[in-house]
């Protein structure tokens, strides 16, 4: 029974997020998702997400393909999260291509193609320019 883990912010949840979670779930039997905290996002992107970490985690947890959700507090803890959650496969979108190859010693690492033409950043821009 393969356990799959993936990570993300999932801010302003959109179909690109849904696609990667559904495709990740199909690679195993148990999908675990690390939702990055507001604090981690601020440190990565110098802005807080539009939706709070609780809202983002609740949306992801409500999906039929997701078994378990936890908060990703730090990028440096990825190895620990993979081990703690006994993940056999780590999945990320191919915008992260090669970035997580260092974990190939403890799990399979798979990069899936991103859904074209949609992103949180683009959605924010569209809404901004419409107002
Ligand atoms: N994604 C996708 N297609 C899109 C947009 C996003 O497949 N059009 C994927 C990303 O590749 C990622 C996941 O959806 O695997 C979540 O994307 P983000 O919320 O943008 O996550 P990110 O901020 O990249 O956080 O530790 C890693 C980070 O937590 C990843």
């Amino acid at each position: 029974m393969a356990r799959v883990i993936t990570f993300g912010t999932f801010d302003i949840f959109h179909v690109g997020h849904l696609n990667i979670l559904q495709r990740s779930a199909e690679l195993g039997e148990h999908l675990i998702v690390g939702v990055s905290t507001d604090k981690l996002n601020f440190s990565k992107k110098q802005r807080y997400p539009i939706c709070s970490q609780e809202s983002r985690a609740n949306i992801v947890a409500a999906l039929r393909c997701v078994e378990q959700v936890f908060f990703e507090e730090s990028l440096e803890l990825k190895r620990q999260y993979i081990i703690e959650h006994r993940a056999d496969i780590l999945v990320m979108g191919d915008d992260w291509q090669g970035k997580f190859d260092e974990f190939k010693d403890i799990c399979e690492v798979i990069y899936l193609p991103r859904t074209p033409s949609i992103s949180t950043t683009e959605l924010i821009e569209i809404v901004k320019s419409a107002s």
Side-chain angles (χ1 to χ4, degrees):
M1 192 178 121
R3 294 165 66 85
V4 183
I5 196 165
T6 191
F7 296 86
T9 310
F10 306 105
D11 192 21
I12 319 182
F13 196 90
H14 58 66
V15 73
H17 297 143
L18 182 63
N19 287 342
I20 198 156
L21 292 174
Q22 287 182 329
R23 285 183 293 159
S24 300
E26 283 165 12
L27 295 171
E29 282 77 38
H30 188 100
L31 177 62
I32 305 147
V33 184
V35 173
S36 55
T37 58
D38 295 338
K39 239 170 105 178
L40 172 57
N41 265 273
F42 190 80
S43 70
K44 273 197 309 192
K45 302 179 186 171
Q46 282 68 58
R47 70 162 180 86
Y48 284 106
I50 306 285
C51 306
S52 72
Q53 61 191 52
E54 284 76 23
S55 305
R56 294 182 284 109
N58 284 343
I59 291 168
V60 172
L63 299 173
R64 216 177 327 177
C65 61
V66 174
E67 293 290 332
Q68 223 178 318
V69 169
F70 67 95
F71 285 119
E72 178 187 26
E73 311 260 359
S74 158
L75 296 178
E76 275 71 60
L77 293 175
K78 209 156 253 115
R79 178 172 291 272
Q80 192 178 309
Y81 293 136
I82 295 168
I83 293 169
E84 254 173 35
H85 293 282
R86 294 176 284 113
D88 304 294
I89 307 172
L90 167 64
V91 181
M92 289 303 296
D94 62 4
D95 46 327
W96 292 93
Q97 189 68 47
K99 298 265 166 56
F100 298 110
D101 286 358
E102 64 187 283
F103 305 121
K104 283 186 174 167
D105 58 332
I106 52 168
C107 65
E108 194 179 339
V109 180
I110 298 178
Y111 303 96
L112 293 177
R114 272 171 74 91
T115 302
S117 315
I118 187 149
S119 74
T120 298
T121 312
E122 257 176 73
L123 289 174
I124 293 172
E125 287 310 316
I126 292 167
V127 172
K128 261 194 197 162
S129 64
S131 61

